Amino acid sequence: MVSLSLRFCSLLALVPLAAVGSVIPRADAYDYIVVGGGSAGSIIASRLSENSSVSVLVIEGGPSHEGEVDLTIPYVYPRTFRSRFDWNYTTVPQPNLGNRPGIYLRGHVLGGSSSINGMTLNRAPASDWDKIASYTGDSSFRWDAILPYIKKNEGFNRPPNTPEYANTYDPAVHGFNADKIGNTLVTDGNWISQPALQAATEVGINYVRDVNGGLPVGISWQQFSTKDGSRSSAATAYLNAGILSSRTNLKVLLNAFVTRLLPVSGTDLKFTTVEYKDASGNTVTVSARREVILSAGVMSTPIILMRSGLGPRAHLQANNITTILDIPAVGQNLQDRCGAAAVWSVNATDTDDDIDRNPAVFNRWLNQWNQNHTGRLTQMSYRQMIFGRVPNNASIFSGGFQDPSSGPTCPHYELYPANKWTSPTTPQPATGNFVSMNIFVSASNVRGTVTLDPTNPLTGNPVIDPKYLSSEWDRYVMRDAVRTSVHYFNAPAWKKWNATPVFDTAILNSDAALDAWISSSAFGGVHGVGTARMGPANSPAGQDVVAPNFKVKGVSGLRIADTSVFPFVINGHTMGATYAIAEKVSDLIKSGN
């Protein structure tokens, strides 16, 4: 691996982060405890602590993000995968992925997955939010009501005022808060943008001015959570050194593994105490005077609930955990987006392939980044993205099959071309230049599970079964997306670059052959939702997990705020939608709702 060097001033000594091995005394109590300093938890803790009379504790399982090169330089984000900044989860073997277990990436660091992901910033189509509002019976989730929360945490960076970028965003749907999470287009003039946009026109894909304007179907400029050439995360914007050093009412405890929540003595259904293991392995408890906000993520949140006696009775009994409240929906309803990457060789010489395989090339760009935070390491090889739908007359819709998406303006799949080889299932060749199409099924109708590890239910990793591609609908959408990708790269715009598939296109002639290719190439583990899903306020406690105010049904003192609460798959990358609900939860708590 190429050696990285970066000049950072040390900030950790200035902030009230608990040192490794330190223990908050058992007598300590806070008004609010946020379990998980991730994409949602960082925002909620920061917003609540804006009131200096309120004390807030964040309990984070991983280390700080401060001063970490791999969490700062945008291009090198894949180095965080399967590292100490990742929980290193895996799925059970997936029958439709060649019986392979999959990697499931989750951030194990302050900022959570917003500190390690690929930085694509989507908010979901407007129809997704409207569907949530309809399902929950709460109009405050409608797109027009959510948009102010989206804008509240955003610091959009306007692209250059040149003809090339004149119609690449809609200022009406963006926030311009300089101190919040950056949102940036890649405007480096790289060769790939011209054929990417022209080919879309040639094959009949419409141009969308702003991917985050609520109507994403078509091709648009991809938006990324970067600022000034660096990653911009929930942690850098909301739990940075300046905020932490200036707020004595906000404490962040790092490297602390939350095991369970405990009910108040004498009551079975009020949860205000958090049990965790500190960095030395000691078991410690700390209590909240007002509320505990569980923001541990789509995998860890249901596991913590089940360890606390809140979950499906039969599963808890099987793992020798006393049931405090039978909530069948906990750990159920997992929905995720399955992906694959198809690759073409090109005669362009300005791809990013040599950055990945030639240390001299990488170091040249690293030197430039170290000097002024500019150059190729400020981008991730992506510039445009395509959201598409299967045709209205597709055979899958015959016989009364209902489209599981949120409506005709909601995508069924996502495509985004990359300026290099990106297949995670096939090694990058030693020579050559490539472009890849990254393909994701969006509007999945598959639901999987997250359960306790029966060999170690109290501290073991979640047992994750997303059931990828287990429905005919998901397989149909993936086939259609692959065929659309090939059609797109057959467009005249790519002929100049001699775009040639590195896979046998004969697979397109047979669904069985295409399914076999997909099975060997597909991956998942990025955008899970639903394991503590939200439901209507009046639905039975157990059918859903939280009400529209994010409070856990049937108990008191406990809310959940992370991607686990979304009742349906988000048709886009989940980070931006998570930011929005974090702002909404913060307002609800502040207002006493």
Side-chain angles (χ1 to χ4, degrees):
M1 179 172 288
V2 178
S3 174
L4 295 181
S5 64
L6 185 62
R7 295 186 297 273
F8 275 109
C9 62
S10 175
L11 296 173
L12 290 181
L14 302 177
V15 303
L17 298 179
V20 173
S22 66
V23 178
I24 293 180
R26 293 174 189 271
D28 277 10
Y30 297 81
D31 290 313
Y32 298 100
I33 298 176
V34 181
V35 177
S39 302
S42 294
I43 294 175
I44 294 167
S46 186
R47 289 299 190 191
L48 294 179
S49 63
E50 289 172 342
N51 180 348
S52 61
S53 67
V54 168
S55 60
V56 180
L57 172 68
V58 180
I59 305 178
E60 167 55 39
S64 172
H65 65 290
E66 295 280 2
E68 297 291 348
V69 175
D70 287 354
L71 306 180
T72 306
I73 301 177
Y75 189 85
V76 303
Y77 75 92
R79 295 186 179 187
T80 66
F81 303 163
R82 313 306 282 175
S83 74
R84 67 188 180 95
F85 302 120
D86 182 359
W87 280 99
N88 292 304
Y89 294 153
T90 56
T91 72
V92 301
Q94 297 294 291
N96 294 290
L97 272 60
N99 215 37
R100 291 176 286 125
I103 293 171
Y104 211 103
L105 304 170
R106 295 289 87 189
H108 179 247
V109 61
L110 202 61
S113 294
S114 77
S115 290
I116 72 168
N117 63 17
M119 289 155 278
T120 295
L121 191 56
N122 292 153
R123 294 104 171 253
S127 58
D128 275 7
W129 292 104
D130 293 346
K131 183 179 180 180
I132 293 171
S134 176
Y135 175 72
T136 61
D138 188 328
S139 62
S140 70
F141 286 95
R142 289 187 59 82
W143 168 256
D144 56 357
I146 286 292
L147 188 57
Y149 290 118
I150 292 171
K151 296 164 78 170
K152 187 176 183 179
N153 63 58
E154 181 183 20
F156 189 82
N157 300 300
R158 297 177 189 270
N161 186 23
T162 62
E164 182 181 1
Y165 305 113
N167 193 36
T168 56
Y169 74 103
D170 179 2
V173 297
H174 290 288
F176 297 88
N177 308 291
D179 62 334
K180 294 300 180 283
I181 298 167
N183 187 3
T184 307
L185 279 63
V186 177
T187 55
D188 57 359
N190 187 267
W191 74 277
I192 197 172
S193 290
Q194 189 276 330
L197 292 165
Q198 183 179 332
T201 299
E202 291 168 348
V203 300
I205 297 172
N206 64 293
Y207 180 76
V208 175
R209 181 184 182 190
D210 196 310
V211 68
N212 280 322
L215 301 170
V217 175
I219 189 168
S220 53
W221 284 77
Q222 200 163 353
Q223 297 175 15
F224 299 94
S225 56
T226 62
K227 180 189 295 186
D228 299 328
S230 298
R231 177 189 291 273
S232 184
S233 69
T236 64
Y238 286 87
L239 292 181
N240 58 53
I243 289 174
L244 293 175
S245 63
S246 65
R247 296 184 189 175
T248 58
N249 62 323
L250 173 60
K251 304 292 183 183
V252 176
L253 177 65
L254 299 172
N255 303 300
F257 179 80
V258 171
T259 49
R260 57 180 176 163
L261 313 175
L262 302 174
V264 174
S265 178
T267 76
D268 283 340
L269 299 177
K270 184 175 183 180
F271 287 80
T272 57
T273 299
V274 179
E275 178 187 275
Y276 66 91
K277 289 187 178 295
D278 67 15
S280 299
N282 302 308
T283 298
V284 185
T285 60
V286 62
S287 295
R289 286 183 284 264
R290 299 187 186 182
E291 288 188 25
V292 173
I293 300 98
L294 183 53
S295 297
V298 68
M299 299 304 161
S300 295
T301 283
I303 293 299
I304 292 171
L305 289 173
M306 287 186 276
R307 288 175 180 154
S308 308
L310 305 173
R313 184 184 301 276
H315 183 57
L316 300 185
Q317 290 176 339
N319 286 279
N320 296 314
I321 294 173
T322 300
T323 302
I324 293 177
L325 183 65
D326 181 20
I327 311 178
V330 170
Q332 306 301 299
N333 306 299
L334 171 64
Q335 288 197 284
D336 194 14
R337 304 197 313 146
C338 188
V343 184
W344 282 256
S345 64
V346 291
N347 61 13
T349 58
D350 195 24
T351 66
D352 290 336
D353 294 288
D354 278 344
I355 299 177
D356 293 341
R357 63 193 175 201
N358 187 328
V361 174
F362 176 85
N363 282 330
R364 185 170 71 247
W365 290 114
L366 177 61
N367 288 336
Q368 179 173 335
W369 191 92
N370 274 326
Q371 291 170 13
N372 52 29
H373 288 196
T374 62
R376 291 292 270 272
L377 301 191
T378 65
Q379 54 86 44
M380 288 67 65
S381 300
Y382 312 115
R383 287 157 185 81
Q384 288 79 34
M385 65 192 316
I386 299 167
F387 283 107
R389 289 176 58 84
V390 302
N392 292 334
N393 62 353
S395 60
I396 189 72
F397 294 127
S398 63
F401 178 83
Q402 295 297 309
D403 181 353
S405 75
S406 58
T409 60
C410 174
H412 292 143
Y413 58 82
E414 172 191 342
L415 312 172
Y416 51 106
N419 190 29
K420 66 176 183 179
W421 183 286
T422 63
S423 172
T425 57
T426 308
Q428 181 189 34
T431 60
N433 296 93
F434 304 93
V435 294
S436 304
M437 185 65 96
N438 298 281
I439 304 164
F440 284 94
V441 175
S442 282
S444 172
N445 67 352
V446 170
R447 293 187 183 270
T449 60
V450 177
T451 54
L452 296 163
D453 178 358
T455 68
N456 187 6
L458 298 183
T459 59
N461 281 347
V463 177
I464 304 168
D465 185 6
K467 304 187 188 302
Y468 291 127
L469 300 174
S470 60
S471 73
E472 177 54 31
W473 166 255
D474 279 34
R475 292 191 296 272
Y476 188 97
V477 172
M478 181 63 87
R479 289 185 214 117
D480 190 75
V482 173
R483 288 179 170 128
T484 297
S485 300
V486 173
H487 180 53
Y488 171 80
F489 275 104
N490 283 338
W494 292 106
K495 300 300 182 186
K496 173 183 177 181
W497 307 102
N498 194 30
T500 305
V502 302
F503 56 96
D504 184 1
T505 56
I507 61 173
L508 304 177
N509 300 327
S510 159
D511 284 356
L514 184 50
D515 283 348
W517 180 85
I518 292 169
S519 178
S520 66
S521 304
F523 58 89
V526 284
H527 300 136
V529 304
T531 54
R533 74 177 181 187
M534 180 184 296
N538 59 358
S539 65
Q543 175 179 308
D544 304 298
V545 181
V546 299
N549 60 5
F550 300 86
K551 291 182 178 180
V552 176
K553 293 182 177 183
V555 305
S556 62
L558 179 60
R559 293 190 209 234
I560 300 174
D562 54 36
T563 59
S564 70
V565 304
F566 287 112
F568 317 107
V569 67
I570 295 298
N571 289 288
H573 299 235
T574 52
M575 178 172 63
T578 305
Y579 290 161
I581 66 165
E583 294 284 9
K584 181 175 174 61
V585 170
S586 300
D587 272 6
L588 285 170
I589 296 173
K590 285 181 170 183
S591 64
N593 294 316

